[in-house]
Every structure is written in structure tokens, then in C-alpha cells.
């Protein structure tokens, strides 16, 4: 039986990432300490709202989790109440079930911590009458209306460390080392990780590459006594006029396409066309793991507390966003209208080119 307190629900949707627990902690502690609210954790993202699975969160439940990776209330990157999949491939609209379950849980408001997919669903539920706000997270950093998402910085650190380590074998064995990183249809992870790790060639979806140019750079470096090259490839990279490589299609997922495999293709092409030895490392889910960086802990704390303030002020349909050095409220609809891609004319690309990095064009 609930008391008279305002009851707030928290869910984490989409792929996990470092900083989610820090964000849950920030929302919940603000709710308990500043607004005397009751807090409910929804299990496994929207799946918990569909299946009516939740747990009350006390102050002690969210204490001591700042440094922990993942999300202790679980997440799902399959569940979409508007298109709930089954293994038969048949989708059903269960948004009505979600609204009913929210009433049954007696939630007064919901905080959705998620990326593009989760917040698109959140925005649709908001339009159906659910009182909610968004907090942006994804290692991909492909969400609009915020300068950065929770998890991106931690993933960039993981990629940078991996490139640092690959340098030693590349140098010792005079090899071409190809490293494939995540990021879906945007190249932020490859770009920031690649520049930070001093990658010689960075291939991203926004700049389709020409394999001849890639091979030319590798061969030139080999001749000039730098007898190794590091190639950082985004999973969504594609050759000019070519296609992205799809690793698998998950039928019962709201976003069924999973990319992957371009690293192997590029290494094979380089070996065939240059005669140089190439090796591939696919970094995979290591990028989503581990403890959040101090930057992500700060960002999660700032965005999470602000998200709870938005709820307390009744400002629904909004997302907490990093704008410059500040945290601001933006409309959820602006955050999800399309994904945020790298601008090939941006100053980051310009700086990379200035220090001799090739984008394979
Ligand atoms: O959106 C985060 C992300 O890690 C992407 O970079 C990647 O394409 C995808 O999720 C992988 O999804 P899954 O964990 O379902 O394989």
C-alpha cells in the first residue's frame, strides 16, 4: 500500500554502459533527500513496464554504486512497447499495457535513462500521456541536443588504452593492426578513440573510404621506416559506394541490425593489396564495461540530479542535456528527431588531418 508521497520510477533502457548506476544514484538520492519522494526501480528497461516487474529503491540501495559499471536494475535493448517482438517475428503494440502498469505501480512520474532508441519510445509514451523526463546515455554519443552522453568518455578511454597496447605489437612485429570499435551508424567512438590513441588511419561511417588510399598510407608508412600502422575502424564504416557489414539480425529486437565484421574485411584487403601482415582486434563489449571515468561520474551526477529536478518542477517531455559547460532542459522531441553524426568538416576532423591522420580518402 503506498503512502502519500510522490512516487518516481527509474528505468535504464538500451545497451548498458559505464555511468548508468551513477545516474540512477543521482536521480534516486535527489528524489529521497531533496523532495522526500518514493523511488521505484523498473527492472530491465521497458520490459519491466510491460511485464510489471519493479523494486522499491531505498537510500541504501543506491548508496555505494557510483563506481560500478552496468546497471543494477537491468536493461534491455530489445524491448519496445510499441513494437514488442517475439521470436516468430510478429510485433505487437503493448503501449496500452505499459500505461496500465504505470497506473498499477502508482507512479507519478518516470525518469528514462537511455539513448536514441529508449528516448524515442519515451517520447511516444509521453505523447500518450505518461509524465516522464529523459537522461541521455550511450557509448555511441549519437544522441542529438546534448553535447555528450553518459558512457561515451569511459568507452573512449577503453579504446585509447587498447590502441596504446596494440602499438607495442604493431611496432615489434612491423604489422598493420586493425581495431574495430562500436558506435553503430556514427563514428564518434572511432574518431575520439582513434585521435586519442594516435591511430594512423581512422575509418568512420560519415566518410566512406577508398581502400586504395588506405593501402597507400600503409605502404608509405612502411617505406618511411615507420614499419607499422594502426587502423581504427568504426563498425559502421563502409567503402565508397559500398555497404556496412551486418553481423547479425536479431528478429525480436526493436533495432534488429547488429553491425560488425568490417575490421576483418579491411585487414584482408590490406594483406591482399599490400602484401603486409595485418591483424584484427574487435574490441566488442569491452567498450561497454568497467568503472565509469571521473568525467562520466560527474556527467551522470549532474544529468541525473537535474532530471529529478525537472520531475519536481513538473517539466515533463524534457531531457537533461549537457550544453557547453552547463546542464539545460531540452525537448525530448529535439533529442530524438534523428541521430547525431560526425560532421566531416568539424574541427576535430581538421585537427586529426593536421597531425597526419588519414580518413582513407
Ligand atoms: O548502442 C550501443 C552499442 O554498443 C552499439 O555501439 C553496438 O552497435 C550495439 O550496442 C551492440 O548491441 P548488442 O549488445 O545487442 O550486441
Amino acid at each position: 500500500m503506498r503512502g502519500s508521497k510522490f512516487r518516481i520510477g527509474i528505468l535504464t533502457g538500451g545497451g548498458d554502459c559505464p555511468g548508468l548506476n551513477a545516474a540512477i544514484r543521482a536521480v534516486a538520492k535527489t528524489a529521497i533527500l531533496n523532495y522526500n519522494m518514493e523511488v521505484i526501480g523498473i527492472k530491465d528497461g521497458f520490459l519491466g513496464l510491460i511485464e510489471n516487474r519493479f523494486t522499491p529503491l531505498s537510500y541504501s540501495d543506491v548508496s555505494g554504486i557510483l563506481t560500478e559499471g552496468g546497471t543494477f536494475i537491468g536493461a534491455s535493448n530489445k524491448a519496445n512497447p510499441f513494437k514488442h517482438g517475439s521470436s516468430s517475428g510478429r510485433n505487437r503494440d503493448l503501449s496500452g499495457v505499459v500505461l496500465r502498469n504505470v497506473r498499477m505501480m502508482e507512479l507519478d512520474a518516470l525518469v528514462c535513462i537511455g539513448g536514441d532508441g529508449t528516448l524515442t519510445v519515451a517520447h511516444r509514451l509521453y505523447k500518450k500521456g505518461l509524465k516522464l523526463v529523459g537522461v541521455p546515455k550511450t557509448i555511441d554519443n549519437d544522441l542529438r541536443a546534448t553535447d555528450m552522453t553518459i558512457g561515451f568518455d569511459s568507452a573512449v578511454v577503453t579504446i585509447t588504452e587498447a590502441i596504446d597496447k596494440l602499438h607495442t605489437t604493431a611496432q615489434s612485429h612491423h604489422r598493420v593492426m586493425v581495431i574495430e570499435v562500436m558506435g553503430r551508424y556514427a563514428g564518434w567512438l572511432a574518431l575520439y578513440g582513434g585521435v586519442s590513441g594516435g591511430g594512423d588511419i581512422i575509418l568512420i561511417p560519415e566518410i566512406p573510404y577508398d581502400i586504395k588510399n588506405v593501402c597507400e598510407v600503409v605502404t608509405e608508412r612502411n617505406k618511411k621506416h615507420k614499419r607499422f600502422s594502426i587502423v581504427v575502424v568504426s563498425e559502421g564504416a563502409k567503402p565508397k559506394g559500398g555497404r556496412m557489414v551486418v553481423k547479425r539480425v536479431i528478429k525480436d529486437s526493436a533495432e534488429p541490425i547488429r553491425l560488425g565484421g568490417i575490421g576483418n574485411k579491411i585487414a584482408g584487403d590490406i594483406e591482399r593489396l599490400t602484401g603486409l601482415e595485418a591483424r584484427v582486434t574487435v574490441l566488442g563489449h569491452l567498450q561497454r564495461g568497467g568503472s565509469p571515468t571521473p568525467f562520466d561520474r560527474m556527467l551522470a551526477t549532474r544529468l541525473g540530479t537535474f532530471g529529478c529536478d525537472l520531475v519536481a518542477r513538473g517539466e515533463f517531455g524534457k531531457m537533461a542535456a549537457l550544453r557547453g559547460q552547463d546542464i539545460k532542459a531540452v525537448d525530448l522531441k529535439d533529442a530524438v528527431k534523428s541521430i547525431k553524426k560526425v560532421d566531416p568538416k568539424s574541427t576535430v576532423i581538421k585537427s586529426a588531418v593536421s597531425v597526419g591522420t588519414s580518413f582513407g580518402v
Side-chain angles (χ1 to χ4, degrees):
M1 191 60 188
R2 73 169 293 192
S4 56
K5 285 183 176 179
F6 190 96
R7 184 179 275 187
I8 186 174
I10 305 176
L11 71 78
T12 51
D16 70 331
C17 71
L20 280 177
N21 281 324
I24 296 168
R25 167 186 179 268
V27 176
K29 283 197 171 181
T30 308
I32 295 165
L33 296 178
N34 296 267
Y35 298 112
N36 196 27
M37 292 175 182
E38 251 175 42
V39 185
I40 300 292
I42 311 292
K43 299 271 189 80
D44 304 334
F46 287 119
L47 208 54
L49 282 185
I50 293 169
E51 296 172 351
N52 207 16
R53 291 187 291 112
F54 59 94
T55 181
L57 296 180
S58 67
Y59 183 87
S60 64
D61 290 326
V62 296
S63 178
I65 61 170
L66 174 66
T67 63
E68 286 171 17
T71 161
F72 85 105
I73 53 175
S76 165
N77 64 355
K78 288 186 180 177
N80 176 347
F82 293 95
K83 240 171 84 184
H84 191 57
S86 65
S87 44
S88 69
R90 218 181 110 241
N91 292 322
R92 284 178 303 158
D93 181 350
L94 297 185
S95 56
V97 173
V98 164
L99 295 183
R100 203 177 59 226
N101 283 340
V102 165
R103 276 196 302 274
M104 269 167 57
M105 291 176 199
E106 298 185 90
L107 295 182
D108 296 303
L110 189 64
V111 177
C112 297
I113 307 173
D116 169 55
T118 301
L119 296 183
T120 299
V121 169
H123 181 236
R124 288 183 72 183
L125 289 171
Y126 165 70
K127 286 200 293 186
K128 284 195 98 170
L130 213 68
K131 290 179 175 164
L132 57 82
V133 303
V135 172
K137 73 85 211 175
T138 162
I139 62 163
D140 303 336
N141 197 37
D142 60 353
L143 198 64
R144 282 205 177 281
T146 183
D147 291 347
M148 225 182 258
T149 50
I150 298 164
F152 175 64
D153 185 66
S154 304
V156 168
V157 168
T158 299
I159 295 168
T160 306
E161 285 172 0
I163 298 172
D164 288 351
K165 287 184 178 158
L166 287 175
H167 260 100
T168 54
T169 306
Q171 224 156 14
S172 311
H173 289 265
H174 318 301
R175 281 181 185 160
V176 179
M177 298 300 261
V178 177
I179 174 168
E180 180 184 304
V181 302
M182 285 183 166
R184 292 203 307 168
Y185 307 107
W188 299 103
L189 284 172
L191 179 62
Y192 276 64
V195 170
S196 308
D200 307 301
I201 300 170
I202 299 174
L203 305 178
I204 59 173
E206 294 85 347
I207 308 179
Y209 65 88
D210 182 338
I211 193 68
K212 274 198 221 123
N213 293 331
V214 172
C215 290
E216 230 170 74
V217 175
V218 165
T219 311
E220 269 303 291
R221 284 179 55 81
N222 200 262
K223 276 191 209 144
K224 288 183 182 159
H225 307 295
K226 280 273 186 192
R227 295 181 52 208
F228 71 92
S229 291
I230 303 278
V231 186
V232 185
V233 189
S234 176
E235 63 181 0
K238 56 180 183 220
K240 270 186 199 153
R243 291 181 172 197
M244 293 179 183
V245 181
V246 174
K247 184 171 61 187
R248 59 197 289 195
V249 177
I250 303 176
K251 269 198 188 151
D252 60 342
S253 172
E255 292 168 61
I257 304 288
R258 294 293 183 279
L259 298 170
I262 185 72
N264 275 305
K265 177 180 162 39
I266 286 169
D269 288 348
I270 291 174
E271 279 201 347
R272 189 169 43 81
L273 297 169
T274 65
L276 296 168
E277 201 179 357
R279 290 284 197 279
V280 189
T281 301
V282 179
L283 213 47
H285 291 84
L286 286 175
Q287 292 159 97
R288 295 223 304 249
S291 183
T293 57
F295 181 91
D296 270 334
R297 296 177 197 189
M298 281 296 298
L299 188 61
T301 302
R302 295 180 73 196
L303 290 172
T305 54
F306 193 92
C308 188
D309 291 339
L310 285 176
V311 169
R313 291 201 298 265
E315 291 187 37
F316 300 114
K318 303 273 181 193
M319 182 183 84
L322 178 71
R323 306 294 287 250
Q325 297 294 316
D326 219 351
I327 305 293
K328 298 247 162 80
V330 297
D331 287 333
L332 258 181
K333 76 169 177 339
D334 292 332
V336 299
K337 62 180 168 214
S338 60
I339 64 164
K340 179 180 73 182
K341 294 192 174 194
V342 173
D343 175 3
K345 295 199 176 78
S346 72
T347 55
V348 184
I349 300 276
K350 197 168 173 289
S351 295
V353 171
S354 297
V355 295
T357 311
S358 163
F359 287 89
V361 286

